[in-house]
Amino acid sequence: MLNIDSIKKGIVIDHIKEGYGYKIFKELGLHKVDYRVALIRNVSSRKQGKKDLIKIENRIDLDLNVLGIIDPDLTVNIIEDEEIKEKIKLSLPEKIKGIFNCKNPRCITSEENIENVEFILVDKDKKEYRCEYCDTKTSL
Amino acid sequence: MLKGRHLIEPRDFSLEELDEIFALAEDIIKNEKDYLDKCRGKLLASLFYEPSTRTRFSFESAMYRLGGQVVGFSEAASSSVSKGESVADTIKTIACYSDIAVMRHPKEGAPLLASQNTDMPIINAGDGGHQHPTQTLTDLLTIRILKKDLSNHTIGLCGDLKFGRTVHSLVKAMKRYLNINFVFISPEELQIPDYIKDDLQENSYYETESLDEVIDKLDILYMTRVQKERFFNEEDYVRLKDSYILTNEKLKNSKEDLIIMHPLPRVNEIAVEVDRDKRAVYFDQAKFGMYVRMALILKLLGVE
């Protein structure tokens, strides 16, 4: 039996689709931090069969857009005094900035350094976004 | 109100705003002398980062015919971009001197980037294989004048539909009018991109490799050039090249009131013999292009 302590104050990212935990862990930079974090993979779940789970013993600013793109079905639990103070459900953001790079070599973003290129959601099922400059579709 | 606005893609303007531009263009055609001095004292910056004789001449002729002046460059090598200047910096500087700018750029989205960095009206004169909205205004005005209405047409678009930005812009623009059916005629390698089709209702378009199969159903035939270098192998090019050369023979089954359009310049996709057919309107189309650009400049400058 794997035993991971509960946390007093921090964040639990729950219901992560099986196999996506490591991606989120890295995307949030948790492999570099000096406070307690835990990535637990292949946790049994009644709803999902298996799921991944991340516990963070710290209140950090989460980029909910990034999480929403990787796995819009996960849940973010804000923990205080070992109890869930707030539950945040995610969804795919309609517009995102600063996450994707356009893969179209003919796009102006490939030539010039443009901060915060906006991508607009075009297909929720495929999680596809289009570049504001050239309309080329991309997904994570 | 179009004063101070940018034209980056056809949908930047509402149908009502497009109608205003077309109505003004038609008035300029009828009463050209009334517009000779409308832009006196105004300066158009003509920023062509790649060669385009026809579009550039059309814009510059439009401004001169309105009594305005033109400054600019006709290739990147003769501009500050050769020193590494960004589009944003170039446009901020040009806006200090000019009243309006027209930009042709090989990179897709460059005119949008320019428009995000200035209040001076920016007109996209073509960005890579992406958009060419003033060609679309030209095409729409041609259809409006020669077919009397922008609704209720079957439009065949033939040739390189993958890289043809004029086609992309025209489809985006025409889908806003009532009862428009598109027939996309192209080799498999040069099919219209998915993002254009995704915007269309499923039953409003049909794709085929054969022009002969569909030519009798078309009200408008929009020809584009199929370039040999776009093909992955010689065999496919040889197989398809003649299918897309419009000749009098191929036109035998087409409607009497068909109009044949082409964004020009033509190479060999329309035989010269077709020029004598009254349905061939591509040179009229070029002239309408200058008039619609005159109307656009007047509207964006607010000097009607």
Side-chain angles (χ1 to χ4, degrees), chain B residues 83-105:
Chain B
K83 300 174 192 166
E85 187 179 51
S86 68
V87 167
D89 283 2
T90 300
I91 209 67
K92 283 176 190 165
T93 312
I94 297 287
C96 299
Y97 320 134
S98 313
D99 301 291
I100 187 167
V102 53
M103 178 184 277
R104 159 71 62 96
H105 201 289

mmCIF file with all atom_site columns, all heavy atoms in Angstrom, chain B residues 83-105:
data_model
loop_
_atom_site.group_PDB
_atom_site.id
_atom_site.type_symbol
_atom_site.label_atom_id
_atom_site.label_alt_id
_atom_site.label_comp_id
_atom_site.label_asym_id
_atom_site.label_entity_id
_atom_site.label_seq_id
_atom_site.pdbx_PDB_ins_code
_atom_site.Cartn_x
_atom_site.Cartn_y
_atom_site.Cartn_z
_atom_site.occupancy
_atom_site.B_iso_or_equiv
_atom_site.pdbx_formal_charge
_atom_site.auth_seq_id
_atom_site.auth_comp_id
_atom_site.auth_asym_id
_atom_site.auth_atom_id
_atom_site.pdbx_PDB_model_num
ATOM 1   N N   . LYS B 1 83  ? 17.581 45.348 -43.176 1.00 0.00 ? 83  LYS B N   1
ATOM 2   C CA  . LYS B 1 83  ? 18.477 45.598 -42.027 1.00 0.00 ? 83  LYS B CA  1
ATOM 3   C C   . LYS B 1 83  ? 17.970 44.889 -40.782 1.00 0.00 ? 83  LYS B C   1
ATOM 4   O O   . LYS B 1 83  ? 18.519 45.052 -39.702 1.00 0.00 ? 83  LYS B O   1
ATOM 5   C CB  . LYS B 1 83  ? 18.539 47.108 -41.747 1.00 0.00 ? 83  LYS B CB  1
ATOM 6   C CG  . LYS B 1 83  ? 19.049 47.934 -42.896 1.00 0.00 ? 83  LYS B CG  1
ATOM 7   C CD  . LYS B 1 83  ? 18.920 49.416 -42.555 1.00 0.00 ? 83  LYS B CD  1
ATOM 8   C CE  . LYS B 1 83  ? 19.150 50.269 -43.779 1.00 0.00 ? 83  LYS B CE  1
ATOM 9   N NZ  . LYS B 1 83  ? 18.706 51.646 -43.559 1.00 0.00 ? 83  LYS B NZ  1
ATOM 10  N N   . GLY B 1 84  ? 16.869 44.173 -40.932 1.00 0.00 ? 84  GLY B N   1
ATOM 11  C CA  . GLY B 1 84  ? 16.351 43.403 -39.801 1.00 0.00 ? 84  GLY B CA  1
ATOM 12  C C   . GLY B 1 84  ? 15.249 44.091 -39.026 1.00 0.00 ? 84  GLY B C   1
ATOM 13  O O   . GLY B 1 84  ? 14.895 43.661 -37.928 1.00 0.00 ? 84  GLY B O   1
ATOM 14  N N   . GLU B 1 85  ? 14.677 45.171 -39.567 1.00 0.00 ? 85  GLU B N   1
ATOM 15  C CA  . GLU B 1 85  ? 13.621 45.879 -38.838 1.00 0.00 ? 85  GLU B CA  1
ATOM 16  C C   . GLU B 1 85  ? 12.345 45.031 -38.810 1.00 0.00 ? 85  GLU B C   1
ATOM 17  O O   . GLU B 1 85  ? 11.986 44.391 -39.796 1.00 0.00 ? 85  GLU B O   1
ATOM 18  C CB  . GLU B 1 85  ? 13.325 47.232 -39.499 1.00 0.00 ? 85  GLU B CB  1
ATOM 19  C CG  . GLU B 1 85  ? 12.365 48.071 -38.665 1.00 0.00 ? 85  GLU B CG  1
ATOM 20  C CD  . GLU B 1 85  ? 12.077 49.432 -39.282 1.00 0.00 ? 85  GLU B CD  1
ATOM 21  O OE1 . GLU B 1 85  ? 11.729 49.491 -40.468 1.00 0.00 ? 85  GLU B OE1 1
ATOM 22  O OE2 . GLU B 1 85  ? 12.207 50.438 -38.565 1.00 0.00 ? 85  GLU B OE2 1
ATOM 23  N N   . SER B 1 86  ? 11.646 45.077 -37.691 1.00 0.00 ? 86  SER B N   1
ATOM 24  C CA  . SER B 1 86  ? 10.420 44.291 -37.547 1.00 0.00 ? 86  SER B CA  1
ATOM 25  C C   . SER B 1 86  ? 9.257  44.987 -38.249 1.00 0.00 ? 86  SER B C   1
ATOM 26  O O   . SER B 1 86  ? 9.297  46.195 -38.501 1.00 0.00 ? 86  SER B O   1
ATOM 27  C CB  . SER B 1 86  ? 10.076 44.123 -36.072 1.00 0.00 ? 86  SER B CB  1
ATOM 28  O OG  . SER B 1 86  ? 9.696  45.372 -35.526 1.00 0.00 ? 86  SER B OG  1
ATOM 29  N N   . VAL B 1 87  ? 8.212  44.203 -38.537 1.00 0.00 ? 87  VAL B N   1
ATOM 30  C CA  . VAL B 1 87  ? 6.997  44.770 -39.134 1.00 0.00 ? 87  VAL B CA  1
ATOM 31  C C   . VAL B 1 87  ? 6.410  45.840 -38.214 1.00 0.00 ? 87  VAL B C   1
ATOM 32  O O   . VAL B 1 87  ? 5.982  46.903 -38.660 1.00 0.00 ? 87  VAL B O   1
ATOM 33  C CB  . VAL B 1 87  ? 5.958  43.646 -39.385 1.00 0.00 ? 87  VAL B CB  1
ATOM 34  C CG1 . VAL B 1 87  ? 4.587  44.226 -39.697 1.00 0.00 ? 87  VAL B CG1 1
ATOM 35  C CG2 . VAL B 1 87  ? 6.421  42.749 -40.529 1.00 0.00 ? 87  VAL B CG2 1
ATOM 36  N N   . ALA B 1 88  ? 6.408  45.552 -36.908 1.00 0.00 ? 88  ALA B N   1
ATOM 37  C CA  . ALA B 1 88  ? 5.831  46.495 -35.939 1.00 0.00 ? 88  ALA B CA  1
ATOM 38  C C   . ALA B 1 88  ? 6.558  47.836 -35.990 1.00 0.00 ? 88  ALA B C   1
ATOM 39  O O   . ALA B 1 88  ? 5.925  48.907 -36.051 1.00 0.00 ? 88  ALA B O   1
ATOM 40  C CB  . ALA B 1 88  ? 5.903  45.904 -34.537 1.00 0.00 ? 88  ALA B CB  1
ATOM 41  N N   . ASP B 1 89  ? 7.893  47.807 -35.997 1.00 0.00 ? 89  ASP B N   1
ATOM 42  C CA  . ASP B 1 89  ? 8.665  49.057 -36.022 1.00 0.00 ? 89  ASP B CA  1
ATOM 43  C C   . ASP B 1 89  ? 8.486  49.780 -37.353 1.00 0.00 ? 89  ASP B C   1
ATOM 44  O O   . ASP B 1 89  ? 8.378  51.012 -37.392 1.00 0.00 ? 89  ASP B O   1
ATOM 45  C CB  . ASP B 1 89  ? 10.158 48.775 -35.784 1.00 0.00 ? 89  ASP B CB  1
ATOM 46  C CG  . ASP B 1 89  ? 10.452 48.518 -34.320 1.00 0.00 ? 89  ASP B CG  1
ATOM 47  O OD1 . ASP B 1 89  ? 9.494  48.517 -33.519 1.00 0.00 ? 89  ASP B OD1 1
ATOM 48  O OD2 . ASP B 1 89  ? 11.637 48.310 -33.978 1.00 0.00 ? 89  ASP B OD2 1
ATOM 49  N N   . THR B 1 90  ? 8.481  49.002 -38.440 1.00 0.00 ? 90  THR B N   1
ATOM 50  C CA  . THR B 1 90  ? 8.315  49.630 -39.756 1.00 0.00 ? 90  THR B CA  1
ATOM 51  C C   . THR B 1 90  ? 7.004  50.401 -39.805 1.00 0.00 ? 90  THR B C   1
ATOM 52  O O   . THR B 1 90  ? 6.959  51.568 -40.214 1.00 0.00 ? 90  THR B O   1
ATOM 53  C CB  . THR B 1 90  ? 8.318  48.554 -40.879 1.00 0.00 ? 90  THR B CB  1
ATOM 54  O OG1 . THR B 1 90  ? 9.555  47.857 -40.830 1.00 0.00 ? 90  THR B OG1 1
ATOM 55  C CG2 . THR B 1 90  ? 8.149  49.181 -42.255 1.00 0.00 ? 90  THR B CG2 1
ATOM 56  N N   . ILE B 1 91  ? 5.925  49.777 -39.354 1.00 0.00 ? 91  ILE B N   1
ATOM 57  C CA  . ILE B 1 91  ? 4.617  50.404 -39.499 1.00 0.00 ? 91  ILE B CA  1
ATOM 58  C C   . ILE B 1 91  ? 4.468  51.612 -38.568 1.00 0.00 ? 91  ILE B C   1
ATOM 59  O O   . ILE B 1 91  ? 3.853  52.608 -38.916 1.00 0.00 ? 91  ILE B O   1
ATOM 60  C CB  . ILE B 1 91  ? 3.474  49.377 -39.315 1.00 0.00 ? 91  ILE B CB  1
ATOM 61  C CG1 . ILE B 1 91  ? 2.249  49.798 -40.118 1.00 0.00 ? 91  ILE B CG1 1
ATOM 62  C CG2 . ILE B 1 91  ? 3.089  49.156 -37.864 1.00 0.00 ? 91  ILE B CG2 1
ATOM 63  C CD1 . ILE B 1 91  ? 2.407  49.770 -41.589 1.00 0.00 ? 91  ILE B CD1 1
ATOM 64  N N   . LYS B 1 92  ? 5.068  51.515 -37.372 1.00 0.00 ? 92  LYS B N   1
ATOM 65  C CA  . LYS B 1 92  ? 5.002  52.658 -36.457 1.00 0.00 ? 92  LYS B CA  1
ATOM 66  C C   . LYS B 1 92  ? 5.701  53.868 -37.076 1.00 0.00 ? 92  LYS B C   1
ATOM 67  O O   . LYS B 1 92  ? 5.278  55.007 -36.906 1.00 0.00 ? 92  LYS B O   1
ATOM 68  C CB  . LYS B 1 92  ? 5.667  52.308 -35.118 1.00 0.00 ? 92  LYS B CB  1
ATOM 69  C CG  . LYS B 1 92  ? 4.788  51.440 -34.223 1.00 0.00 ? 92  LYS B CG  1
ATOM 70  C CD  . LYS B 1 92  ? 5.555  51.055 -32.977 1.00 0.00 ? 92  LYS B CD  1
ATOM 71  C CE  . LYS B 1 92  ? 4.825  49.998 -32.187 1.00 0.00 ? 92  LYS B CE  1
ATOM 72  N NZ  . LYS B 1 92  ? 5.676  49.361 -31.182 1.00 0.00 ? 92  LYS B NZ  1
ATOM 73  N N   . THR B 1 93  ? 6.795  53.610 -37.792 1.00 0.00 ? 93  THR B N   1
ATOM 74  C CA  . THR B 1 93  ? 7.545  54.694 -38.428 1.00 0.00 ? 93  THR B CA  1
ATOM 75  C C   . THR B 1 93  ? 6.792  55.247 -39.636 1.00 0.00 ? 93  THR B C   1
ATOM 76  O O   . THR B 1 93  ? 6.630  56.461 -39.776 1.00 0.00 ? 93  THR B O   1
ATOM 77  C CB  . THR B 1 93  ? 8.936  54.178 -38.885 1.00 0.00 ? 93  THR B CB  1
ATOM 78  O OG1 . THR B 1 93  ? 9.522  53.464 -37.815 1.00 0.00 ? 93  THR B OG1 1
ATOM 79  C CG2 . THR B 1 93  ? 9.832  55.322 -39.300 1.00 0.00 ? 93  THR B CG2 1
ATOM 80  N N   . ILE B 1 94  ? 6.316  54.324 -40.479 1.00 0.00 ? 94  ILE B N   1
ATOM 81  C CA  . ILE B 1 94  ? 5.603  54.744 -41.688 1.00 0.00 ? 94  ILE B CA  1
ATOM 82  C C   . ILE B 1 94  ? 4.363  55.583 -41.329 1.00 0.00 ? 94  ILE B C   1
ATOM 83  O O   . ILE B 1 94  ? 4.004  56.525 -42.032 1.00 0.00 ? 94  ILE B O   1
ATOM 84  C CB  . ILE B 1 94  ? 5.174  53.499 -42.518 1.00 0.00 ? 94  ILE B CB  1
ATOM 85  C CG1 . ILE B 1 94  ? 6.393  52.722 -43.009 1.00 0.00 ? 94  ILE B CG1 1
ATOM 86  C CG2 . ILE B 1 94  ? 4.250  53.881 -43.665 1.00 0.00 ? 94  ILE B CG2 1
ATOM 87  C CD1 . ILE B 1 94  ? 7.175  53.345 -44.124 1.00 0.00 ? 94  ILE B CD1 1
ATOM 88  N N   . ALA B 1 95  ? 3.740  55.229 -40.200 1.00 0.00 ? 95  ALA B N   1
ATOM 89  C CA  . ALA B 1 95  ? 2.527  55.944 -39.770 1.00 0.00 ? 95  ALA B CA  1
ATOM 90  C C   . ALA B 1 95  ? 2.823  57.407 -39.420 1.00 0.00 ? 95  ALA B C   1
ATOM 91  O O   . ALA B 1 95  ? 1.914  58.248 -39.403 1.00 0.00 ? 95  ALA B O   1
ATOM 92  C CB  . ALA B 1 95  ? 1.894  55.240 -38.579 1.00 0.00 ? 95  ALA B CB  1
ATOM 93  N N   . CYS B 1 96  ? 4.097  57.716 -39.170 1.00 0.00 ? 96  CYS B N   1
ATOM 94  C CA  . CYS B 1 96  ? 4.463  59.115 -38.903 1.00 0.00 ? 96  CYS B CA  1
ATOM 95  C C   . CYS B 1 96  ? 4.372  59.962 -40.169 1.00 0.00 ? 96  CYS B C   1
ATOM 96  O O   . CYS B 1 96  ? 4.250  61.183 -40.103 1.00 0.00 ? 96  CYS B O   1
ATOM 97  C CB  . CYS B 1 96  ? 5.889  59.213 -38.369 1.00 0.00 ? 96  CYS B CB  1
ATOM 98  S SG  . CYS B 1 96  ? 6.155  58.350 -36.819 1.00 0.00 ? 96  CYS B SG  1
ATOM 99  N N   . TYR B 1 97  ? 4.475  59.283 -41.335 1.00 0.00 ? 97  TYR B N   1
ATOM 100 C CA  . TYR B 1 97  ? 4.521  60.047 -42.586 1.00 0.00 ? 97  TYR B CA  1
ATOM 101 C C   . TYR B 1 97  ? 3.239  59.947 -43.411 1.00 0.00 ? 97  TYR B C   1
ATOM 102 O O   . TYR B 1 97  ? 2.966  60.806 -44.224 1.00 0.00 ? 97  TYR B O   1
ATOM 103 C CB  . TYR B 1 97  ? 5.658  59.545 -43.502 1.00 0.00 ? 97  TYR B CB  1
ATOM 104 C CG  . TYR B 1 97  ? 6.958  59.179 -42.830 1.00 0.00 ? 97  TYR B CG  1
ATOM 105 C CD1 . TYR B 1 97  ? 7.614  57.993 -43.148 1.00 0.00 ? 97  TYR B CD1 1
ATOM 106 C CD2 . TYR B 1 97  ? 7.549  60.039 -41.905 1.00 0.00 ? 97  TYR B CD2 1
ATOM 107 C CE1 . TYR B 1 97  ? 8.815  57.655 -42.545 1.00 0.00 ? 97  TYR B CE1 1
ATOM 108 C CE2 . TYR B 1 97  ? 8.747  59.695 -41.302 1.00 0.00 ? 97  TYR B CE2 1
ATOM 109 C CZ  . TYR B 1 97  ? 9.384  58.504 -41.618 1.00 0.00 ? 97  TYR B CZ  1
ATOM 110 O OH  . TYR B 1 97  ? 10.562 58.165 -41.021 1.00 0.00 ? 97  TYR B OH  1
ATOM 111 N N   . SER B 1 98  ? 2.512  58.840 -43.237 1.00 0.00 ? 98  SER B N   1
ATOM 112 C CA  . SER B 1 98  ? 1.455  58.521 -44.210 1.00 0.00 ? 98  SER B CA  1
ATOM 113 C C   . SER B 1 98  ? 0.072  58.557 -43.578 1.00 0.00 ? 98  SER B C   1
ATOM 114 O O   . SER B 1 98  ? -0.076 58.579 -42.353 1.00 0.00 ? 98  SER B O   1
ATOM 115 C CB  . SER B 1 98  ? 1.687  57.125 -44.789 1.00 0.00 ? 98  SER B CB  1
ATOM 116 O OG  . SER B 1 98  ? 3.030  56.987 -45.160 1.00 0.00 ? 98  SER B OG  1
ATOM 117 N N   . ASP B 1 99  ? -0.933 58.530 -44.449 1.00 0.00 ? 99  ASP B N   1
ATOM 118 C CA  . ASP B 1 99  ? -2.317 58.540 -43.977 1.00 0.00 ? 99  ASP B CA  1
ATOM 119 C C   . ASP B 1 99  ? -2.941 57.160 -44.019 1.00 0.00 ? 99  ASP B C   1
ATOM 120 O O   . ASP B 1 99  ? -3.901 56.876 -43.303 1.00 0.00 ? 99  ASP B O   1
ATOM 121 C CB  . ASP B 1 99  ? -3.142 59.488 -44.865 1.00 0.00 ? 99  ASP B CB  1
ATOM 122 C CG  . ASP B 1 99  ? -2.570 60.885 -44.832 1.00 0.00 ? 99  ASP B CG  1
ATOM 123 O OD1 . ASP B 1 99  ? -2.665 61.533 -43.779 1.00 0.00 ? 99  ASP B OD1 1
ATOM 124 O OD2 . ASP B 1 99  ? -1.995 61.329 -45.848 1.00 0.00 ? 99  ASP B OD2 1
ATOM 125 N N   . ILE B 1 100 ? -2.420 56.296 -44.882 1.00 0.00 ? 100 ILE B N   1
ATOM 126 C CA  . ILE B 1 100 ? -2.990 54.966 -45.073 1.00 0.00 ? 100 ILE B CA  1
ATOM 127 C C   . ILE B 1 100 ? -1.880 54.078 -45.669 1.00 0.00 ? 100 ILE B C   1
ATOM 128 O O   . ILE B 1 100 ? -0.996 54.597 -46.355 1.00 0.00 ? 100 ILE B O   1
ATOM 129 C CB  . ILE B 1 100 ? -4.225 55.049 -46.003 1.00 0.00 ? 100 ILE B CB  1
ATOM 130 C CG1 . ILE B 1 100 ? -4.955 53.709 -46.091 1.00 0.00 ? 100 ILE B CG1 1
ATOM 131 C CG2 . ILE B 1 100 ? -3.884 55.578 -47.391 1.00 0.00 ? 100 ILE B CG2 1
ATOM 132 C CD1 . ILE B 1 100 ? -6.346 53.822 -46.742 1.00 0.00 ? 100 ILE B CD1 1
ATOM 133 N N   . ALA B 1 101 ? -1.904 52.786 -45.366 1.00 0.00 ? 101 ALA B N   1
ATOM 134 C CA  . ALA B 1 101 ? -0.853 51.903 -45.897 1.00 0.00 ? 101 ALA B CA  1
ATOM 135 C C   . ALA B 1 101 ? -1.460 50.637 -46.477 1.00 0.00 ? 101 ALA B C   1
ATOM 136 O O   . ALA B 1 101 ? -2.445 50.110 -45.945 1.00 0.00 ? 101 ALA B O   1
ATOM 137 C CB  . ALA B 1 101 ? 0.142  51.532 -44.799 1.00 0.00 ? 101 ALA B CB  1
ATOM 138 N N   . VAL B 1 102 ? -0.849 50.174 -47.539 1.00 0.00 ? 102 VAL B N   1
ATOM 139 C CA  . VAL B 1 102 ? -1.230 48.892 -48.123 1.00 0.00 ? 102 VAL B CA  1
ATOM 140 C C   . VAL B 1 102 ? -0.016 47.976 -48.026 1.00 0.00 ? 102 VAL B C   1
ATOM 141 O O   . VAL B 1 102 ? 1.107  48.405 -48.306 1.00 0.00 ? 102 VAL B O   1
ATOM 142 C CB  . VAL B 1 102 ? -1.744 49.084 -49.567 1.00 0.00 ? 102 VAL B CB  1
ATOM 143 C CG1 . VAL B 1 102 ? -0.773 49.840 -50.417 1.00 0.00 ? 102 VAL B CG1 1
ATOM 144 C CG2 . VAL B 1 102 ? -2.049 47.759 -50.216 1.00 0.00 ? 102 VAL B CG2 1
ATOM 145 N N   . MET B 1 103 ? -0.230 46.744 -47.550 1.00 0.00 ? 103 MET B N   1
ATOM 146 C CA  . MET B 1 103 ? 0.906  45.847 -47.291 1.00 0.00 ? 103 MET B CA  1
ATOM 147 C C   . MET B 1 103 ? 0.737  44.487 -47.975 1.00 0.00 ? 103 MET B C   1
ATOM 148 O O   . MET B 1 103 ? -0.256 43.802 -47.792 1.00 0.00 ? 103 MET B O   1
ATOM 149 C CB  . MET B 1 103 ? 1.066  45.617 -45.783 1.00 0.00 ? 103 MET B CB  1
ATOM 150 C CG  . MET B 1 103 ? 2.195  44.652 -45.446 1.00 0.00 ? 103 MET B CG  1
ATOM 151 S SD  . MET B 1 103 ? 2.315  44.294 -43.676 1.00 0.00 ? 103 MET B SD  1
ATOM 152 C CE  . MET B 1 103 ? 3.262  45.686 -43.146 1.00 0.00 ? 103 MET B CE  1
ATOM 153 N N   . ARG B 1 104 ? 1.758  44.124 -48.757 1.00 0.00 ? 104 ARG B N   1
ATOM 154 C CA  . ARG B 1 104 ? 1.873  42.753 -49.287 1.00 0.00 ? 104 ARG B CA  1
ATOM 155 C C   . ARG B 1 104 ? 3.083  42.140 -48.601 1.00 0.00 ? 104 ARG B C   1
ATOM 156 O O   . ARG B 1 104 ? 4.153  42.762 -48.552 1.00 0.00 ? 104 ARG B O   1
ATOM 157 C CB  . ARG B 1 104 ? 2.066  42.813 -50.802 1.00 0.00 ? 104 ARG B CB  1
ATOM 158 C CG  . ARG B 1 104 ? 2.694  41.582 -51.448 1.00 0.00 ? 104 ARG B CG  1
ATOM 159 C CD  . ARG B 1 104 ? 1.793  40.374 -51.483 1.00 0.00 ? 104 ARG B CD  1
ATOM 160 N NE  . ARG B 1 104 ? 0.592  40.589 -52.252 1.00 0.00 ? 104 ARG B NE  1
ATOM 161 C CZ  . ARG B 1 104 ? 0.422  40.246 -53.526 1.00 0.00 ? 104 ARG B CZ  1
ATOM 162 N NH1 . ARG B 1 104 ? 1.420  39.693 -54.178 1.00 0.00 ? 104 ARG B NH1 1
ATOM 163 N NH2 . ARG B 1 104 ? -0.716 40.471 -54.133 1.00 0.00 ? 104 ARG B NH2 1
ATOM 164 N N   . HIS B 1 105 ? 2.916  40.945 -48.034 1.00 0.00 ? 105 HIS B N   1
ATOM 165 C CA  . HIS B 1 105 ? 4.012  40.336 -47.265 1.00 0.00 ? 105 HIS B CA  1
ATOM 166 C C   . HIS B 1 105 ? 3.999  38.828 -47.495 1.00 0.00 ? 105 HIS B C   1
ATOM 167 O O   . HIS B 1 105 ? 2.936  38.215 -47.536 1.00 0.00 ? 105 HIS B O   1
ATOM 168 C CB  . HIS B 1 105 ? 3.823  40.650 -45.773 1.00 0.00 ? 105 HIS B CB  1
ATOM 169 C CG  . HIS B 1 105 ? 5.081  40.533 -44.962 1.00 0.00 ? 105 HIS B CG  1
ATOM 170 N ND1 . HIS B 1 105 ? 5.659  39.315 -44.679 1.00 0.00 ? 105 HIS B ND1 1
ATOM 171 C CD2 . HIS B 1 105 ? 5.868  41.474 -44.377 1.00 0.00 ? 105 HIS B CD2 1
ATOM 172 C CE1 . HIS B 1 105 ? 6.759  39.526 -43.953 1.00 0.00 ? 105 HIS B CE1 1
ATOM 173 N NE2 . HIS B 1 105 ? 6.909  40.831 -43.753 1.00 0.00 ? 105 HIS B NE2 1
#
